[in-house]
Amino acid sequence: MRSMLLARAAPWISAALLVLVWWLGVAAFDVKSYIMPTPGETLASLVRHWRPLAANGAITLATTLVGFSATLVFGTLIGMLVGMSRLAHQAIYPLLVAFNSVPKAALVPIFVVWFGLGAVPAVITAFLLSFFPVVANVALAFSSIEPELVDLIRSLGGSRRDLMVKIGIPRALPYLFASLKVAITLAFVGSIIAEVIGGNGGIGNVMLVASSNFDMPLVFAALSVVGVLGTGMYALFELLDRHWASRSARPSGLQGIENAS
């Protein structure tokens, strides 16, 4: 019981220690607020500007979720294709790896030229930055199906679709949920990058305007909003992952066949 309470309190304790070190560092070195604000100044700015922060936070959240939804759909489908087909893996996967190594910040100006300022570049950047982890994890799940299970499905008269539905998808779900926890945080990073470079709204735009005015308390307040949003979405997918694990108990592929038949 005590260890459970300590585990639940650990994130709050570590966050409090981080704030304490932050405050002590600023006070000890007498850092000016236009360089590094104190936690109190950041909180005061958060309270003072809560309306624009809330409005722009909603914009960032919306663009992130739209880009992330595209990642969920297309990342899963392409991951299934790459994992199930050796030809597709050899043809597509190297291109995905090469594209993933390209800094997405370098692509935002191109998206601004193509689509103009606003939400579209942020959605595309959120999608591109969060896309690869989903593809890689889903492809790994499908490509790691044991040959014995494939032979068993075929000996029972099952089709490639049966292999995908009865073996591949149940096996891929834990991998998918694990990748989504990473992908949602990367999607937020993509949205913020696009809003800083070529946005006319959102938390990234607030940070850009505030930093140009040397309003560091507002910059840190905007960063705290992003941190809360990202942590909240990560926690949501963590709950989904635990819920799926508790329901399925993550059975092996052979158990999945026996249950299906």
Side-chain angles (χ1 to χ4, degrees):
M1 183 66 180
R2 181 178 300 178
S3 60
M4 185 181 298
L5 292 176
L6 181 60
R8 292 181 177 179
W12 301 100
I13 295 173
S14 60
L17 290 175
L18 177 62
V19 171
L20 178 61
V21 172
W22 173 12
W23 179 80
L24 289 176
V26 172
F29 294 99
D30 192 23
V31 182
K32 303 302 180 183
S33 63
Y34 61 84
I35 297 177
M36 172 75 79
T38 64
E41 290 171 333
T42 302
L43 180 60
S45 181
L46 185 63
V47 173
R48 188 183 314 117
H49 301 287
W50 74 269
R51 289 183 185 274
L53 287 172
N56 285 279
I59 294 173
T60 298
L61 179 62
T63 56
T64 300
L65 291 179
V66 173
F68 179 76
S69 299
T71 288
L72 178 60
V73 175
F74 293 104
T76 302
L77 292 176
I78 294 179
M80 293 168 62
L81 175 63
V82 170
M84 292 288 293
S85 171
R86 180 172 298 181
L87 178 62
H89 185 278
Q90 295 175 344
I92 299 175
Y93 202 74
L95 297 178
L96 295 176
V97 173
F99 185 76
N100 187 61
S101 64
V102 176
K104 303 307 179 289
L107 299 177
V108 176
I110 300 175
F111 299 147
V112 171
V113 172
W114 288 351
F115 305 105
L117 298 173
V120 176
V123 169
I124 296 175
T125 309
F127 165 71
L128 294 178
L129 206 61
S130 60
F131 178 73
F132 188 74
V134 175
V135 174
N137 278 270
V138 173
L140 176 62
F142 276 89
S143 62
S144 62
I145 298 175
E146 293 85 349
E148 294 81 3
L149 295 178
V150 178
D151 294 337
L152 179 59
I153 284 286
R154 290 174 178 173
S155 66
L156 294 174
S159 63
R160 196 174 186 86
R161 179 179 177 277
D162 294 324
L163 177 64
M164 181 182 298
V165 173
K166 297 179 180 180
I167 302 297
I169 292 178
R171 169 166 294 194
L173 284 176
Y175 290 81
L176 176 63
F177 284 124
S179 66
L180 292 182
K181 292 185 289 186
V182 177
I184 188 62
T185 57
L186 293 176
F188 272 106
V189 173
S191 293
I192 296 299
I193 290 174
E195 290 169 355
V196 170
I197 297 176
N200 53 10
I203 291 295
N205 187 255
V206 171
M207 294 170 58
L208 177 64
V209 174
S211 61
S212 65
N213 294 327
F214 294 96
D215 189 355
M216 282 299 142
L218 181 55
V219 173
F220 276 74
L223 285 173
S224 66
V225 172
V226 176
V228 169
L229 291 175
T231 303
M233 295 305 300
Y234 181 94
L236 175 61
F237 286 104
E238 176 73 17
L239 288 175
L240 290 175
D241 188 18
R242 292 182 180 180
H243 178 68
W244 168 256
S246 63
R247 283 191 58 187
S248 63
R250 298 190 176 177
S252 66
L254 184 58
Q255 290 173 331
I257 293 178
E258 292 173 350
N259 294 335
S261 58

